Amino acid sequence: MRATNPISKVRDHSHTMTQPETPAHYTDLDAALETAWNILAEGAGNRRVPTHTPTLATIGTDGAPRMRTVVLRGFETASRQVRFHTDRRSGKINELRADPRAGLHVYDLQRKVQLQIDGRVHLHMDDPLANQAWQQTQPMSRIVYQVTQAPGTVIDSPLDVTHDIMPDTGFNDGGSENFLVATLQVETLEWLFLDARGHRRARFTRKGNAWPGTWLVP
Ligand SMILES: Cc1cc2nc3c(=O)[nH]c(=O)nc-3n(C[C@H](O)[C@H](O)[C@H](O)COP(=O)(O)O)c2cc1C
């Protein structure tokens, strides 16, 4: 016999005045997926929201998980691809060359929604996408790509970071040779909404352009 949890029964009064309005995604899978895409689009487009800096996970060359913060530079709504920029000499790129599978973790505090994304990363170097992104980077952001040593190189002192200075100008306008645009194709997306009335969890899996989804026990 199926027993109903008395607590969740008591709490499931979504119509009471004391509760905030029930979002559509509370009982609607399509709305849950739409919320997820909106979170990614907003995170890419607004540098003031915390979802602008999600956590990217890769598989270390030793098989252990590796995580780091990246700036969400773009979200292609048609293809459901997330974009970030990095140094092609970085550890994460070595890892992605060996295994392109990656995870992306986003928590939207305002919406109380967590996204756990699995996908595959495509590396763009010296192609139209990378060239255009490089043209659009600010001089300040280029400095990190102009360091002569690879990111993560052991140094004796923090002052040992060196830049190739051009003799006549005293500055360096290079860096594009180290720049890379990575696109993560979303393959599966798990959505979790925490709510006092009862949590909600769903998983969506890409089938071509369709995203069939299912509810999961939170
Ligand atoms: C707020 C914030 C934003 C960051 N954005 C990026 C980014 O967009 N690209 C990047 O390569 N590293 C970024 N980093 C640095 C990474 O978290 C990480 O330290 C670095 O890329 C080296 O990681 P790896 O050795 O795993 O490659 C950011 C760090 C912080 C704290």
Side-chain angles (χ1 to χ4, degrees), residues 53 66-73 84-87 90-93 95 145 151:
T53 46
R66 298 274 304 149
M67 287 175 286
R68 77 288 291 159
T69 311
V70 290
V71 171
L72 189 52
R73 298 282 176 184
F84 62 92
H85 296 172
T86 193
D87 191 310
S90 66
K92 70 182 89 47
I93 295 307
E95 291 155 13
Y145 299 104

Side-chain angles (χ1 to χ4, degrees), residues 146-150 152-164:
Q146 297 168 351
V147 174
T148 52
Q149 306 108 317
T153 301
V154 175
I155 46 179
D156 289 334
S157 149
L159 305 177
D160 288 347
V161 176
T162 57
H163 295 74
D164 248 343

